[in-house]
Amino acid sequence: MNKSTAQFRERLNRRLGEKIFLDAQKDLIERKLDRKRTVPVAATVLSLAILASPFVSITLGVLLIATTFPNVFAIIIGLVMVGIGYFLLPIRHRRLEGLLERSELPATFHLLDQITDRMGTEPITHVMVTPDFNAFMLHTTGKRVIGIGAVLWRATTPEERLAILAHEVAHQVNGDPARSGLTGKALHTLEGWLWFLEPDADELFAEIIMYFPFLIVSGLHRLLLRLIFFESQRSEYLADALGACVAGVPASLSALQKSMLGERIAVARLEMHANRVPGGLALVDRFAYAITGIPVRERDAFIAKANAEKLTVDSTHPPTAYRIAFLDLLSDADAPVFGPDELRDSDSELEGQFAKQGDNLQREIQIEEGW
Protein backbone atom coordinates (compact mmCIF):
# COMPACT_ATOMS: atom_id res chain seq x y z
CA MET A 1 0.00 0.00 0.00
CA ASN A 2 1.45 3.37 -1.00
CA LYS A 3 1.78 6.27 1.40
CA SER A 4 -1.06 8.37 -0.05
CA THR A 5 -3.53 5.45 0.24
CA ALA A 6 -2.56 4.85 3.87
CA GLN A 7 -3.02 8.56 4.62
CA PHE A 8 -6.43 8.53 2.93
CA ARG A 9 -7.52 5.56 5.05
CA GLU A 10 -6.28 7.34 8.17
CA ARG A 11 -8.35 10.41 7.33
CA LEU A 12 -11.43 8.23 6.87
CA ASN A 13 -10.73 6.62 10.22
CA ARG A 14 -10.46 9.98 11.96
CA ARG A 15 -13.70 11.16 10.38
CA LEU A 16 -15.78 7.97 10.61
CA GLY A 17 -14.04 5.79 13.20
CA GLU A 18 -16.21 6.73 16.17
CA LYS A 19 -19.46 6.38 14.22
CA ILE A 20 -18.47 2.91 12.98
CA PHE A 21 -17.47 1.88 16.52
CA LEU A 22 -20.80 3.04 17.95
CA ASP A 23 -22.66 1.22 15.18
CA ALA A 24 -20.77 -2.01 15.91
CA GLN A 25 -21.36 -1.54 19.63
CA LYS A 26 -25.09 -1.14 19.02
CA ASP A 27 -25.16 -4.27 16.85
CA LEU A 28 -23.35 -6.21 19.58
CA ILE A 29 -25.84 -5.15 22.24
CA GLU A 30 -28.76 -6.01 19.96
CA ARG A 31 -27.09 -9.30 18.93
CA LYS A 32 -27.01 -8.25 15.29
CA LEU A 33 -23.24 -8.06 14.84
CA ASP A 34 -23.11 -11.08 12.54
CA ARG A 35 -25.58 -9.43 10.18
CA LYS A 36 -23.93 -9.01 6.79
CA ARG A 37 -24.79 -5.97 4.73
CA THR A 38 -24.55 -5.65 0.98
CA VAL A 39 -22.09 -3.20 -0.51
CA PRO A 40 -23.49 -0.28 -2.55
CA VAL A 41 -24.44 -1.07 -6.14
CA ALA A 42 -22.01 1.62 -7.28
CA ALA A 43 -19.15 -0.30 -5.63
CA THR A 44 -20.11 -3.51 -7.45
CA VAL A 45 -20.36 -1.81 -10.86
CA LEU A 46 -17.06 0.00 -10.34
CA SER A 47 -15.39 -3.24 -9.27
CA LEU A 48 -16.52 -5.08 -12.40
CA ALA A 49 -15.05 -2.35 -14.61
CA ILE A 50 -11.77 -2.40 -12.69
CA LEU A 51 -11.47 -6.19 -12.83
CA ALA A 52 -11.84 -6.06 -16.61
CA SER A 53 -8.83 -3.74 -17.01
CA PRO A 54 -6.04 -6.41 -16.86
CA PHE A 55 -7.85 -8.52 -19.48
CA VAL A 56 -8.29 -5.43 -21.67
CA SER A 57 -4.56 -4.71 -21.37
CA ILE A 58 -3.66 -8.28 -22.35
CA THR A 59 -6.14 -8.29 -25.27
CA LEU A 60 -4.93 -4.95 -26.62
CA GLY A 61 -1.31 -6.08 -26.32
CA VAL A 62 -1.98 -9.28 -28.27
CA LEU A 63 -3.91 -7.36 -30.94
CA LEU A 64 -1.11 -4.81 -31.24
CA ILE A 65 1.46 -7.58 -31.80
CA ALA A 66 -0.76 -9.42 -34.27
CA THR A 67 -1.65 -6.37 -36.38
CA THR A 68 1.82 -4.75 -36.53
CA PHE A 69 4.07 -7.80 -36.85
CA PRO A 70 7.04 -7.67 -37.57
CA ASN A 71 7.34 -4.08 -36.24
CA VAL A 72 9.83 -4.56 -33.38
CA PHE A 73 8.87 -1.38 -31.52
CA ALA A 74 5.16 -2.25 -31.59
CA ILE A 75 5.90 -5.82 -30.52
CA ILE A 76 7.85 -4.56 -27.49
CA ILE A 77 4.96 -2.28 -26.50
CA GLY A 78 2.51 -5.15 -26.98
CA LEU A 79 4.59 -7.47 -24.81
CA VAL A 80 4.78 -4.80 -22.10
CA MET A 81 0.97 -4.45 -22.19
CA VAL A 82 0.54 -8.22 -21.92
CA GLY A 83 3.04 -8.34 -19.03
CA ILE A 84 1.32 -5.51 -17.18
CA GLY A 85 -2.05 -7.17 -17.66
CA TYR A 86 -0.76 -10.47 -16.32
CA PHE A 87 0.83 -8.79 -13.31
CA LEU A 88 -2.47 -7.04 -12.52
CA LEU A 89 -4.68 -10.12 -12.84
CA PRO A 90 -6.70 -10.88 -9.70
CA ILE A 91 -4.67 -13.10 -7.42
CA ARG A 92 -6.86 -16.12 -8.22
CA HIS A 93 -5.37 -16.15 -11.72
CA ARG A 94 -1.76 -16.23 -10.54
CA ARG A 95 0.35 -18.90 -8.92
CA LEU A 96 1.10 -18.48 -5.21
CA GLU A 97 4.54 -19.48 -3.98
CA GLY A 98 5.53 -20.96 -0.62
CA LEU A 99 2.22 -22.57 0.29
CA LEU A 100 2.43 -25.32 2.91
CA GLU A 101 -0.04 -28.21 3.00
CA ARG A 102 -1.49 -30.41 5.73
CA SER A 103 1.16 -33.09 5.38
CA GLU A 104 3.87 -30.53 6.15
CA LEU A 105 2.23 -28.94 9.22
CA PRO A 106 -0.20 -31.52 10.69
CA ALA A 107 -0.36 -30.02 14.21
CA THR A 108 -0.91 -26.49 12.92
CA PHE A 109 -3.69 -27.63 10.62
CA HIS A 110 -5.27 -29.60 13.48
CA LEU A 111 -5.39 -26.39 15.49
CA LEU A 112 -6.81 -24.45 12.53
CA ASP A 113 -9.44 -27.15 12.02
CA GLN A 114 -10.65 -26.70 15.59
CA ILE A 115 -10.94 -22.95 15.03
CA THR A 116 -12.86 -23.30 11.75
CA ASP A 117 -15.14 -25.95 13.31
CA ARG A 118 -15.90 -23.59 16.17
CA MET A 119 -16.79 -20.81 13.73
CA GLY A 120 -18.72 -23.10 11.40
CA THR A 121 -16.68 -22.22 8.34
CA GLU A 122 -14.67 -24.09 5.72
CA PRO A 123 -11.28 -25.53 6.69
CA ILE A 124 -8.03 -23.77 5.85
CA THR A 125 -6.29 -25.42 2.88
CA HIS A 126 -2.81 -23.88 3.05
CA VAL A 127 -0.46 -21.99 5.34
CA MET A 128 2.05 -19.40 4.16
CA VAL A 129 4.93 -18.51 6.48
CA THR A 130 6.48 -15.04 6.12
CA PRO A 131 9.20 -13.27 8.12
CA ASP A 132 6.88 -10.44 9.17
CA PHE A 133 5.30 -9.09 12.33
CA ASN A 134 1.92 -9.79 10.78
CA ALA A 135 -0.72 -12.40 10.00
CA PHE A 136 -3.35 -12.52 7.27
CA MET A 137 -6.17 -14.46 5.64
CA LEU A 138 -6.12 -14.86 1.86
CA HIS A 139 -8.83 -16.28 -0.40
CA THR A 140 -8.04 -17.59 -3.87
CA THR A 141 -9.88 -20.01 -6.11
CA GLY A 142 -9.98 -23.34 -4.30
CA LYS A 143 -7.55 -22.13 -1.62
CA ARG A 144 -8.04 -20.61 1.83
CA VAL A 145 -4.66 -19.46 3.07
CA ILE A 146 -3.57 -18.34 6.53
CA GLY A 147 -0.39 -16.27 6.60
CA ILE A 148 1.77 -16.57 9.72
CA GLY A 149 4.52 -14.04 10.35
CA ALA A 150 7.55 -15.60 12.03
CA VAL A 151 8.42 -12.55 14.13
CA LEU A 152 4.80 -12.09 15.26
CA TRP A 153 4.52 -15.74 16.27
CA ARG A 154 7.75 -15.73 18.26
CA ALA A 155 6.81 -12.45 19.98
CA THR A 156 3.49 -13.76 21.30
CA THR A 157 2.33 -16.27 23.90
CA PRO A 158 0.49 -19.47 22.87
CA GLU A 159 -2.81 -17.92 23.95
CA GLU A 160 -2.12 -14.78 21.92
CA ARG A 161 -1.20 -16.90 18.89
CA LEU A 162 -4.55 -18.63 19.15
CA ALA A 163 -6.28 -15.23 19.30
CA ILE A 164 -4.39 -14.05 16.21
CA LEU A 165 -5.24 -17.18 14.21
CA ALA A 166 -8.88 -16.97 15.28
CA HIS A 167 -9.10 -13.31 14.24
CA GLU A 168 -7.70 -14.10 10.80
CA VAL A 169 -9.96 -17.12 10.28
CA ALA A 170 -12.89 -14.87 11.23
CA HIS A 171 -12.18 -12.84 8.09
CA GLN A 172 -13.46 -15.90 6.21
CA VAL A 173 -16.77 -15.48 8.02
CA ASN A 174 -17.30 -11.73 8.26
CA GLY A 175 -17.61 -10.89 4.57
CA ASP A 176 -15.12 -8.00 4.60
CA PRO A 177 -15.59 -6.30 1.19
CA ALA A 178 -11.97 -5.06 1.26
CA ARG A 179 -10.66 -8.63 1.45
CA SER A 180 -13.08 -10.76 -0.51
CA GLY A 181 -15.61 -10.75 -3.32
CA LEU A 182 -15.58 -8.45 -6.33
CA THR A 183 -14.62 -5.39 -4.33
CA GLY A 184 -11.66 -7.09 -2.67
CA LYS A 185 -10.30 -8.28 -6.01
CA ALA A 186 -10.89 -4.84 -7.55
CA LEU A 187 -8.93 -3.15 -4.76
CA HIS A 188 -6.07 -5.58 -5.33
CA THR A 189 -6.07 -4.77 -9.05
CA LEU A 190 -6.09 -1.01 -8.42
CA GLU A 191 -3.22 -1.32 -5.94
CA GLY A 192 -1.25 -3.10 -8.66
CA TRP A 193 -1.96 -0.26 -11.09
CA LEU A 194 -0.90 2.30 -8.47
CA TRP A 195 2.37 0.43 -7.88
CA PHE A 196 3.08 0.42 -11.62
CA LEU A 197 2.03 4.02 -12.33
CA GLU A 198 3.42 5.74 -9.22
CA PRO A 199 5.72 8.53 -10.48
CA ASP A 200 9.46 8.12 -9.93
CA ALA A 201 11.12 11.33 -8.76
CA ASP A 202 14.42 10.21 -10.33
CA GLU A 203 12.89 9.93 -13.82
CA LEU A 204 11.35 13.29 -14.74
CA PHE A 205 10.13 12.24 -18.21
CA ALA A 206 8.49 9.06 -16.87
CA GLU A 207 7.01 11.05 -14.00
CA ILE A 208 5.32 13.48 -16.42
CA ILE A 209 3.92 10.66 -18.55
CA MET A 210 2.69 8.59 -15.59
CA TYR A 211 1.29 11.41 -13.45
CA PHE A 212 -2.11 11.85 -15.12
CA PRO A 213 -2.95 8.11 -15.34
CA PHE A 214 -1.76 7.76 -11.73
CA LEU A 215 -4.19 10.48 -10.62
CA ILE A 216 -7.09 8.74 -12.41
CA VAL A 217 -6.33 5.34 -10.88
CA SER A 218 -5.72 6.90 -7.46
CA GLY A 219 -9.10 8.62 -7.67
CA LEU A 220 -10.86 5.36 -8.55
CA HIS A 221 -9.07 3.60 -5.70
CA ARG A 222 -10.15 6.22 -3.19
CA LEU A 223 -13.72 6.18 -4.50
CA LEU A 224 -13.98 2.40 -4.09
CA LEU A 225 -12.40 2.55 -0.64
CA ARG A 226 -14.90 5.20 0.43
CA LEU A 227 -17.87 3.21 -0.90
CA ILE A 228 -16.98 0.11 1.13
CA PHE A 229 -15.15 1.69 4.07
CA PHE A 230 -17.99 1.60 6.61
CA GLU A 231 -18.79 -2.06 6.09
CA SER A 232 -15.12 -3.05 5.84
CA GLN A 233 -14.26 -1.48 9.19
CA ARG A 234 -17.38 -2.89 10.82
CA SER A 235 -16.27 -6.37 9.73
CA GLU A 236 -13.06 -5.92 11.74
CA TYR A 237 -15.15 -5.66 14.90
CA LEU A 238 -16.96 -8.85 13.93
CA ALA A 239 -13.58 -10.57 13.45
CA ASP A 240 -12.52 -9.38 16.91
CA ALA A 241 -15.74 -10.73 18.43
CA LEU A 242 -15.47 -14.12 16.70
CA GLY A 243 -11.80 -14.41 17.58
CA ALA A 244 -12.52 -13.68 21.24
CA CYS A 245 -15.16 -16.42 21.30
CA VAL A 246 -12.41 -18.90 20.40
CA ALA A 247 -9.38 -17.57 22.28
CA GLY A 248 -11.02 -15.59 25.08
CA VAL A 249 -11.15 -11.85 25.67
CA PRO A 250 -7.92 -11.54 27.75
CA ALA A 251 -5.78 -13.22 25.06
CA SER A 252 -7.45 -11.18 22.31
CA LEU A 253 -6.82 -7.94 24.19
CA SER A 254 -3.21 -8.87 24.92
CA ALA A 255 -2.52 -9.82 21.28
CA LEU A 256 -4.11 -6.61 20.06
CA GLN A 257 -2.04 -4.45 22.40
CA LYS A 258 1.16 -6.26 21.44
CA SER A 259 0.44 -5.76 17.74
CA MET A 260 0.67 -2.00 18.31
CA LEU A 261 4.37 -2.25 19.10
CA GLY A 262 5.49 -3.17 15.58
CA GLU A 263 7.52 0.00 15.03
CA ARG A 264 9.98 -1.30 17.62
CA ILE A 265 11.13 -3.85 15.04
CA ALA A 266 12.21 -1.08 12.66
CA VAL A 267 14.26 0.42 15.48
CA ALA A 268 15.89 -2.96 16.15
CA ARG A 269 16.73 -3.30 12.46
CA LEU A 270 18.54 0.06 12.48
CA GLU A 271 20.69 -1.14 15.36
CA MET A 272 21.87 -4.25 13.49
CA HIS A 273 25.08 -4.58 11.45
CA ALA A 274 25.29 -7.07 8.59
CA ASN A 275 28.54 -8.66 9.75
CA ARG A 276 27.06 -9.42 13.17
CA VAL A 277 23.56 -10.52 12.22
CA PRO A 278 22.80 -14.15 13.07
CA GLY A 279 20.79 -16.33 10.76
CA GLY A 280 17.94 -18.76 11.25
CA LEU A 281 15.70 -18.75 14.28
CA ALA A 282 18.17 -16.61 16.24
CA LEU A 283 17.53 -13.61 13.98
CA VAL A 284 13.76 -14.06 14.15
CA ASP A 285 14.00 -14.18 17.94
CA ARG A 286 16.16 -11.07 18.02
CA PHE A 287 13.44 -9.16 16.21
CA ALA A 288 10.81 -10.72 18.47
CA TYR A 289 12.76 -9.56 21.52
CA ALA A 290 12.32 -5.99 20.32
CA ILE A 291 8.66 -6.57 21.29
CA THR A 292 8.89 -8.89 24.27
CA GLY A 293 11.88 -7.12 25.83
CA ILE A 294 10.22 -3.72 26.21
CA PRO A 295 10.09 -2.66 29.88
CA VAL A 296 6.55 -2.85 31.22
CA ARG A 297 6.37 0.82 32.11
CA GLU A 298 7.58 1.88 28.67
CA ARG A 299 5.18 -0.52 26.95
CA ASP A 300 2.18 0.69 28.95
CA ALA A 301 3.07 4.33 28.29
CA PHE A 302 3.35 3.67 24.56
CA ILE A 303 0.00 1.86 24.42
CA ALA A 304 -1.70 4.58 26.49
CA LYS A 305 -0.37 7.26 24.15
CA ALA A 306 -1.46 5.30 21.08
CA ASN A 307 -4.95 4.86 22.50
CA ALA A 308 -5.24 8.53 23.39
CA GLU A 309 -4.27 9.49 19.83
CA LYS A 310 -6.67 6.90 18.33
CA LEU A 311 -3.83 5.19 16.46
CA THR A 312 -4.36 1.99 14.48
CA VAL A 313 -2.39 -1.24 14.03
CA ASP A 314 -2.30 -0.20 10.39
CA SER A 315 -4.49 1.95 8.17
CA THR A 316 -6.77 -0.97 7.22
CA HIS A 317 -8.01 -1.38 10.81
CA PRO A 318 -10.20 0.74 13.11
CA PRO A 319 -8.49 2.77 15.87
CA THR A 320 -7.16 0.30 18.42
CA ALA A 321 -8.70 2.20 21.34
CA TYR A 322 -12.15 1.53 19.90
CA ARG A 323 -11.33 -2.14 19.30
CA ILE A 324 -10.18 -2.51 22.92
CA ALA A 325 -13.35 -0.80 24.18
CA PHE A 326 -15.39 -3.14 21.99
CA LEU A 327 -13.64 -6.27 23.29
CA ASP A 328 -14.24 -5.08 26.86
CA LEU A 329 -18.00 -5.43 26.19
CA LEU A 330 -17.69 -9.14 25.39
CA SER A 331 -18.25 -11.97 27.82
CA ASP A 332 -15.39 -14.45 28.26
CA ALA A 333 -17.60 -17.19 29.70
CA ASP A 334 -18.08 -19.19 26.52
CA ALA A 335 -14.45 -19.27 25.33
CA PRO A 336 -13.41 -22.93 24.83
CA VAL A 337 -10.17 -24.26 26.25
CA PHE A 338 -7.44 -25.49 23.88
CA GLY A 339 -4.97 -27.86 25.41
CA PRO A 340 -1.36 -26.71 25.86
CA ASP A 341 -0.09 -29.76 23.97
CA GLU A 342 -1.91 -28.69 20.81
CA LEU A 343 -0.43 -25.21 20.95
CA ARG A 344 3.04 -26.55 21.79
CA ASP A 345 3.02 -29.07 18.93
CA SER A 346 2.12 -26.38 16.44
CA ASP A 347 4.90 -24.16 17.73
CA SER A 348 7.49 -26.94 17.43
CA GLU A 349 6.72 -27.88 13.84
CA LEU A 350 6.77 -24.24 12.70
CA GLU A 351 10.29 -23.61 14.02
CA GLY A 352 11.94 -25.05 10.92
CA GLN A 353 9.91 -22.75 8.69
CA PHE A 354 10.77 -19.77 10.88
CA ALA A 355 14.48 -20.65 10.67
CA LYS A 356 14.26 -20.48 6.87
CA GLN A 357 12.68 -17.06 7.13
CA GLY A 358 15.49 -15.97 9.45
CA ASP A 359 18.07 -17.04 6.87
CA ASN A 360 16.19 -15.04 4.22
CA LEU A 361 16.14 -11.99 6.47
CA GLN A 362 19.87 -12.32 7.09
CA ARG A 363 20.57 -12.33 3.34
CA GLU A 364 18.31 -9.31 2.80
CA ILE A 365 20.10 -7.34 5.51
CA GLN A 366 23.51 -8.23 4.13
CA ILE A 367 22.45 -7.25 0.60
CA GLU A 368 21.01 -3.95 1.81
CA GLU A 369 24.31 -3.07 3.47
CA GLY A 370 26.39 -4.27 0.53
CA TRP A 371 28.12 -6.86 2.65
Side-chain angles (χ1 to χ4, degrees), residues 193-256:
W193 279 113
L194 287 172
W195 179 88
F196 177 74
L197 293 171
E198 188 167 17
D200 186 347
D202 296 329
E203 298 290 343
L204 181 59
F205 181 70
E207 183 175 1
I208 293 171
I209 293 175
M210 296 292 197
Y211 189 65
F212 184 65
F214 176 80
L215 287 180
I216 294 175
V217 174
S218 181
L220 290 173
H221 188 244
R222 292 185 179 199
L223 175 60
L224 185 55
L225 277 177
R226 180 62 185 86
L227 288 171
I228 66 172
F229 186 77
F230 197 96
E231 186 60 23
S232 176
Q233 296 295 277
R234 179 181 171 275
S235 68
E236 286 290 343
Y237 289 107
L238 175 56
D240 285 336
L242 292 171
C245 287
V246 171
V249 172
S252 297
L253 282 169
S254 178
L256 181 56

Side-chain angles (χ1 to χ4, degrees), residues 60-78:
L60 291 177
V62 171
L63 287 174
L64 181 62
I65 294 171
T67 56
T68 61
F69 189 85
N71 187 312
V72 176
F73 181 71
I75 290 173
I76 292 173
I77 294 177

